[in-house]
Amino acid sequence: MDWQEWALKKLQDSLVPIPAELNELDWKSGLSCKTERLAQHISAFANLRGGGILVFGVNNDGICSSITKDEADKTIQLLGNIAKNNLAYSISIEHAILTYQNSALLFIYIPEQQDKPVSLRGKDVFDSYIRSAGQTVKMSRNQVKAMIAESQGFTFEEQVAKNNLTAEQVLDALDYRKMYELLGKNVPSSIEMIINKMEEYGFCAKQNDTLWSITNLGAILFANRNDDFPELAKRVVTIRKYMGTNNRNLFSERPSSRGYAVDFEDMIDFIMKSSSTEAIDVIRKDVPTYPRVAIREFVANALVHQDFAISGMPIAIEIFSNRLAITNPGIPLNDINRLIDLPPYSRNEVLAQSLFLLGICERRGSGIDRAVEAIEKMFLPAAKITKGENFTRVFLFPKKDLKNMTKSEKINACYQHACLMYEDNKAINNQSIRERFNLDKNKSSVASRIIADTVEAGLIKLADADITSKKYATYIPYYG
């Protein structure tokens, strides 16, 4: 796909179903005289994975209108000069007039630069910008440092967490037994064989004939004690349970003290127990409020997709009486409306691959699908996925009667059901919606209303536009 085709697709994604600017694309109604702000936009797109696009002729409300040749020529000249003269080094940009919905729009493509970060000329490297939640923002110092390391070929996972260690000290700091357990292998009796296997997986690295270093990957996954790694201790997962619907009354708190892989199942057990209700029969037992598979997948996603360059925001799992919230630093790299169907796009590729090999997370892109499927089987409201300027948050909700669900909750559940069915090459209909909400046959009018509201929201459409009878109508997601 060339950049022009990609740009038109991104514009479509930003306007449908709900107009919202993307990280990869910024609308502009016309040429601004604010040269420095335009330079910041170009810096941000040059630092963005895959680059980005400024599109002129789109208003803040998403309405498109053609620009004139004179406007286009002035814009191209000004942005070309800014890209040449107002950044730390000159970069090349491309442009094209493309037609979208009968409007002639100017697209300016800023390619991702290999030497990053691209900062503003006359200032230091910390005057660099990045896209976040559809906005151009200044990078934090940690983000700049992380981008410099990555630009030099060192990912966060490959960087050193601790060095100048003997083999014995490495094995004391990392839970190698857990590693072998997760890999389904027996622990060798030889220290040399163990540490060589850990090196093979990138958890440690040899410095010389006698000394070793532990990588960030090894520490964050297998630390026996997070306190042994001060920098990574800031990346702990904290689980909090509150009394009621707000965070004013804390009931319990559990910060993780070990690596993610070591502590993962214990974390999930704690969340399940803390969010369950107690049933008293002959034997007391906990009744799950949320499906374990959904908790597992969303927590694993939070680990994999967090942005390690954002400091002061550890992963938080908060349990309230009416919801469960999972928050991680970093915005989603995919459209939050397309997390079910789009292939996985990981911010931390090495970490994602390691968690897959250890059996903790999915790499086929089916993790969200499995979570949504499990939520549907328990007839719960749909999961709600949101993003802020520098974070992603997933909400899960306990079971509630349909009459107590908001219109938005019904629409989200209908849309996610359509996405799930579409992945199985199926379309939804009145019957499948009744099944999703556990409705009787005589509630077909209720199901029809939910479908109509979801169509009106632009999230689903007729699978076959030639079928006009509502009785036989089937529906697929808007992107189908």
Side-chain angles (χ1 to χ4, degrees):
M1 183 186 299
D2 64 19
W3 78 261
Q4 295 181 24
E5 184 182 353
W6 177 70
L8 285 170
K9 181 180 182 303
K10 284 298 176 184
L11 179 59
Q12 171 75 4
D13 290 343
S14 75
L15 297 174
V16 177
I18 301 169
E21 288 178 308
L22 309 176
N23 278 343
E24 302 91 340
L25 185 140
D26 197 352
W27 307 329
K28 296 294 177 188
S29 58
L31 184 61
S32 168
C33 59
K34 298 178 181 178
T35 301
E36 183 166 359
R37 186 56 178 164
L38 290 172
Q40 292 170 3
H41 287 315
I42 296 175
S43 164
F45 286 129
N47 291 325
L48 185 66
R49 188 183 299 183
I53 306 134
L54 291 166
V55 54
F56 290 83
V58 184
N59 297 326
N60 289 335
D61 56 7
I63 302 299
C64 301
S65 57
S66 295
I67 67 170
T68 66
K69 184 179 185 303
D70 184 54
E71 289 172 328
D73 289 343
K74 288 180 180 177
T75 303
I76 293 166
Q77 182 178 9
L78 176 60
L79 292 176
N81 287 336
I82 292 173
K84 182 179 180 181
N85 300 317
N86 292 61
L87 303 176
Y89 61 88
S90 175
I91 69 171
S92 297
I93 62 177
E94 300 181 44
H95 68 271
I97 303 289
L98 304 175
T99 301
Y100 178 80
Q101 293 184 349
N102 299 318
S103 295
L105 308 177
L106 171 62
F107 290 77
I108 303 291
Y109 172 56
I110 300 99
E112 176 188 6
Q113 300 301 297
Q114 185 173 1
D115 185 12
K116 294 184 292 186
V118 177
S119 58
L120 303 189
R121 176 164 290 182
K123 301 181 180 181
D124 63 31
V125 70
F126 295 105
D127 279 292
S128 299
Y129 290 78
I130 194 66
R131 296 285 289 178
S132 179
Q135 301 295 318
T136 293
V137 297
K138 191 172 183 179
M139 295 172 69
S140 69
R141 296 184 75 85
N142 280 343
Q143 286 176 312
V144 171
K145 291 175 182 177
M147 187 168 284
I148 291 172
E150 188 173 346
S151 181
Q152 294 173 344
F154 297 101
T155 65
F156 169 83
E157 299 97 320
E158 294 168 326
Q159 294 171 39
V160 172
K162 205 167 192 178
N163 57 13
N164 298 324
L165 304 172
T166 64
E168 290 79 4
Q169 287 173 319
V170 172
L171 299 190
D172 175 66
L174 303 183
D175 191 341
Y176 62 91
R177 295 184 184 278
K178 189 67 176 182
M179 181 192 77
Y180 278 95
E181 176 190 326
L182 292 172
L183 293 172
K185 298 179 180 180
N186 294 324
V187 181
S189 57
S190 163
I191 290 179
E192 183 180 4
M193 291 179 67
I194 295 172
I195 200 161
N196 285 340
K197 177 61 70 174
M198 299 189 83
E199 181 186 26
E200 179 185 330
Y201 283 101
F203 304 145
C204 61
K206 200 166 191 176
Q207 291 178 225
N208 53 44
D209 290 342
T210 58
L211 295 179
W212 293 79
S213 60
I214 295 174
T215 63
N216 281 344
L217 179 66
I220 206 160
L221 288 179
F222 290 106
N224 272 319
R225 301 165 297 274
N226 281 340
D227 289 343
D228 288 346
F229 305 94
E231 281 301 312
L232 296 184
K234 303 172 185 176
R235 311 295 174 181
V236 299
V237 179
T238 302
I239 304 168
R240 299 185 182 96
K241 181 175 180 177
Y242 299 100
M243 298 177 66
T245 61
N246 57 59
N247 61 3
R248 289 191 288 273
N249 294 304
L250 180 66
F251 178 77
S252 64
E253 182 175 76
R254 181 196 185 276
S256 60
S257 59
R258 301 175 294 171
Y260 296 158
V262 182
D263 201 32
F264 186 75
E265 294 300 340
D266 288 344
M267 282 194 292
I268 303 305
D269 288 342
F270 185 85
I271 296 167
M272 291 299 296
K273 185 172 181 60
S274 299
S275 62
S276 295
T277 57
E278 187 178 63
I280 303 176
D281 198 355
V282 178
I283 301 174
R284 290 175 181 262
K285 62 178 181 179
D286 292 329
V287 178
T289 301
Y290 309 103
R292 184 182 182 91
V293 66
I295 297 289
R296 204 174 187 281
E297 295 300 339
F298 283 124
V299 171
N301 271 337
L303 301 180
V304 169
H305 298 298
Q306 66 181 300
D307 188 340
F308 289 108
I310 296 175
S311 59
M313 187 188 294
I315 294 172
I317 299 159
E318 299 172 293
I319 302 166
F320 303 89
S321 61
N322 64 348
R323 67 195 185 281
L324 185 150
I326 301 169
T327 306
N328 67 268
I331 59 171
L333 297 180
N334 275 334
D335 181 349
I336 58 174
N337 288 318
R338 303 288 302 278
L339 296 180
I340 294 177
D341 73 291
L342 289 176
Y345 186 16
S346 177
R347 178 178 279 111
N348 307 299
E349 195 65 31
V350 178
L351 177 61
Q353 179 65 20
S354 295
L355 289 175
F356 167 68
L357 291 172
L358 297 167
I360 291 174
C361 78
E362 295 284 342
R363 289 282 292 159
R364 303 189 306 273
S366 61
I368 300 294
D369 305 42
R370 294 176 63 207
V372 171
E373 181 182 40
I375 288 168
E376 290 195 352
K377 285 181 177 178
M378 288 183 65
F379 305 113
L380 303 182
K384 182 180 178 182
I385 303 171
T386 64
K387 63 179 181 178
E389 183 177 309
N390 59 358
F391 67 88
T392 302
R393 182 169 289 148
V394 177
F395 293 97
L396 299 181
F397 303 97
K399 192 171 183 178
K400 63 171 70 174
D401 292 336
L402 184 64
K403 64 182 179 183
N404 295 325
M405 285 191 191
T406 66
K407 181 179 178 179
S408 176
E409 287 176 329
K410 296 172 189 175
I411 289 172
N412 286 340
C414 180
Y415 171 63
Q416 289 184 14
H417 178 64
C419 294
L420 205 59
M421 294 281 280
Y422 191 67
E423 288 302 288
D424 291 336
N425 200 30
K426 297 177 182 178
I428 67 169
N429 55 24
N430 189 284
Q431 178 182 339
S432 73
I433 290 300
R434 293 200 312 271
E435 292 171 354
R436 164 61 180 94
F437 290 96
N438 198 24
L439 297 172
D440 296 332
K441 288 183 178 180
N442 60 0
K443 298 287 187 179
S444 61
S445 61
V446 176
S448 294
R449 180 71 264 163
I450 294 171
I451 291 173
D453 288 341
T454 312
V455 171
E456 186 179 350
L459 291 170
I460 60 173
K461 63 183 181 182
L462 281 167
D464 186 345
D466 293 332
I467 297 178
T468 56
S469 170
K470 289 188 177 180
K471 182 177 180 180
Y472 300 105
T474 58
Y475 303 84
I476 60 175
Y478 70 91
Y479 54 79

